[in-house]
């Protein structure tokens, strides 16, 4: 009885190449088609774990946690200075779904900075903002603007304490004119005081008090 030998089935070469190309675990630098490069951990062909990403177009670097291909966890994002070429930190803090989320600090090109809570890439929650003119706002934020209760310190040490809405003074509040030694307490609407009372406050310690004290009612 003749013996029939069947040719052993072989898988195409691309199948083996694809198997070897599957990225899982720690890998050396992997280059993307657009020139970006990533060094770190993978899971099922997705960046997952600790890793460093260098973006070809901008030269920016992200170093931190990844989850299923997106920045998620704690990490820092830096960009090179166009003149010195040295890296300047833009954001350091927590991320979720590729956006700033949780507590973090961000540095703006204008020299301003924000430290506090984030949600979906926007300032939301409690935070402190340092402005270029020397002013400091500390309080509640919503959708990237002061909303709720907060305090604003001016460069001349005057300050406002009270309500905010859409980035403007709104609702009950107090404005301390420490340079003149006066205090205004009242209601604000869209940054404009609508009604209230003005009294002397620490007038004897004020650097530039008004010529005459405010009479008591």
């Amino acid at each position: 009885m003749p013996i029939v030998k069947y040719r052993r089935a072989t898988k195409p070469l691309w199948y083996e190449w694809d198997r070897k190309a599957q990225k899982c675990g720690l890998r050396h630098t992997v280059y993307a088609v657009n020139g970006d490069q990533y060094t770190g951990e993978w899971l099922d062909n997705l960046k997952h774990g600790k890793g460093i990403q260098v973006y070809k177009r901008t030269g920016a670097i992200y170093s931190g946690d990844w989850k299923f291909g997106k920045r998620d966890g704690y990490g820092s994002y830096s960009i090179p200075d166009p003149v010195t070429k040295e890296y300047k930190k833009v954001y350091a803090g927590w991320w979720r779904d590729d956006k700033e989320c949780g507590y973090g600090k961000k540095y703006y090109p204008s020299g301003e900075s924000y430290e506090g809570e984030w949600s979906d890439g926007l300032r939301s929650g409690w935070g402190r903002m340092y402005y270029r003119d020397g002013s400091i706002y500390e309080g509640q934020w919503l959708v990237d603007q002061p909303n709720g209760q907060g305090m604003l310190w001016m460069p001349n040490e005057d300050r406002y304490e009270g309500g905010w809405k859409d980035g403007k003074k709104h609702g009950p509040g107090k404005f301390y004119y420490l340079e003149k030694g006066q205090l205004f307490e009242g209601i604000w609407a869209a940054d404009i005081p609508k009604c209230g009372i003005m009294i002397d406050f620490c007038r004897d310690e004020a650097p530039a008090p008004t010529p005459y004290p405010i009479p008591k009612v």
Side-chain angles (χ1 to χ4, degrees), residues 76-144:
S76 63
Y77 182 81
S78 305
I79 59 174
D81 186 276
V83 179
T84 64
K85 305 303 180 183
E86 295 182 358
Y87 277 91
K88 298 169 59 177
K89 190 169 291 184
V90 175
Y91 176 80
W94 293 91
W95 302 72
R96 181 183 296 170
D97 199 24
D98 230 20
K99 297 179 180 179
E100 298 94 334
C101 189
Y103 192 87
K105 188 169 185 178
K106 187 166 187 175
Y107 304 87
Y108 297 87
S110 60
E112 300 177 339
S113 64
Y114 170 83
E115 182 177 5
E117 296 176 302
W118 297 77
S119 178
D120 201 26
L122 301 174
R123 292 167 290 186
S124 293
W126 190 268
R128 184 185 296 114
M129 182 76 187
Y130 297 87
Y131 295 96
R132 184 170 52 183
D133 64 356
S135 301
I136 302 173
Y137 170 82
E138 181 175 359
Q140 295 174 309
W141 294 75
L142 182 65
V143 194
D144 227 29

Side-chain angles (χ1 to χ4, degrees), residues 3-167:
I3 298 176
V4 180
K5 291 185 177 181
Y6 294 96
R7 187 176 179 180
R8 189 174 181 179
T10 58
K11 295 179 180 179
L13 290 177
W14 68 264
Y15 187 89
E16 182 63 18
W17 294 339
D18 184 67
R19 187 187 66 80
K20 291 181 178 180
Q22 297 299 309
K23 295 178 286 292
C24 190
L26 183 62
R27 287 289 186 275
H28 293 298
T29 304
V30 176
Y31 294 85
V33 176
N34 62 2
D36 293 350
Q37 50 183 290
Y38 172 80
T39 305
E41 298 176 303
W42 296 78
L43 179 65
D44 296 334
N45 274 341
L46 296 174
K47 306 179 189 84
H48 191 88
K50 302 287 184 181
I52 300 175
Q53 170 99 2
V54 180
Y55 299 88
K56 173 69 174 178
R57 186 176 64 86
T58 61
I61 293 178
Y62 170 80
S63 176
D65 297 325
W66 295 79
K67 187 175 182 181
F68 301 118
K70 295 183 178 181
R71 292 170 292 187
D72 200 300
Y74 187 87
S76 63
Y77 182 81
S78 305
I79 59 174
D81 186 276
V83 179
T84 64
K85 305 303 180 183
E86 295 182 358
Y87 277 91
K88 298 169 59 177
K89 190 169 291 184
V90 175
Y91 176 80
W94 293 91
W95 302 72
R96 181 183 296 170
D97 199 24
D98 230 20
K99 297 179 180 179
E100 298 94 334
C101 189
Y103 192 87
K105 188 169 185 178
K106 187 166 187 175
Y107 304 87
Y108 297 87
S110 60
E112 300 177 339
S113 64
Y114 170 83
E115 182 177 5
E117 296 176 302
W118 297 77
S119 178
D120 201 26
L122 301 174
R123 292 167 290 186
S124 293
W126 190 268
R128 184 185 296 114
M129 182 76 187
Y130 297 87
Y131 295 96
R132 184 170 52 183
D133 64 356
S135 301
I136 302 173
Y137 170 82
E138 181 175 359
Q140 295 174 309
W141 294 75
L142 182 65
V143 194
D144 227 29
Q145 291 186 337
N147 267 281
Q149 294 296 309
M151 183 184 302
L152 177 68
W153 286 273
M154 309 295 185
N156 62 359
E157 296 188 356
D158 290 352
R159 73 175 186 270
Y160 169 80
E161 300 176 8
W164 295 80
K165 183 179 180 181
D166 299 329

Side-chain angles (χ1 to χ4, degrees), residues 164-195:
W164 295 80
K165 183 179 180 181
D166 299 329
K168 297 180 179 180
K169 306 176 190 70
H170 195 88
K174 298 179 181 179
F175 199 107
Y176 295 85
Y177 297 92
L178 299 182
E179 191 174 19
K180 297 181 179 180
Q182 295 179 334
L183 165 63
F184 175 82
E185 183 175 359
I187 304 296
W188 301 71
D191 251 359
I192 300 174
K194 293 297 184 178
C195 62

